[in-house]
Amino acid sequence: MQKFRCDAPKMFSKAEVAVVEEKITADEPGRVKYKTTYWPAMLFRGYSMTLEPGQEVAVIGRQGITLLVRPL
């Protein structure tokens, strides 16, 4: 029987810009528009703020299909 495992974060070598579409907090993931597509996104560990819709953020990695973001 195969065990379920969570993908380890994959960090990007260069951060890219995305725009918040759905509010992101330290406790709740949201959504961003990145390269013309909408993605689930969450704050990278260590950040404890709220990212509001329309705000530009840096995409620094991904975990599964969820992008890891930080404020610019």
Side-chain angles (χ1 to χ4, degrees), residues 4-60:
F4 174 79
R5 71 175 182 83
C6 184
D7 291 337
K10 177 183 177 190
M11 305 311 290
F12 299 158
S13 60
K14 180 181 174 189
E16 295 193 39
V17 177
V19 177
V20 176
E21 291 292 321
E22 184 180 293
K23 181 170 73 172
I24 303 169
T25 68
D27 300 322
E28 292 291 324
R31 253 180 138 55
V32 296
K33 187 173 184 181
Y34 173 65
K35 293 189 176 182
T36 72
T37 305
Y38 296 92
W39 294 84
M42 61 188 274
L43 272 169
F44 187 62
R45 60 181 167 253
Y47 290 94
S48 60
M49 60 195 52
T50 298
L51 302 173
E52 297 291 341
Q55 185 176 348
E56 289 187 335
V57 294
V59 178
I60 58 173

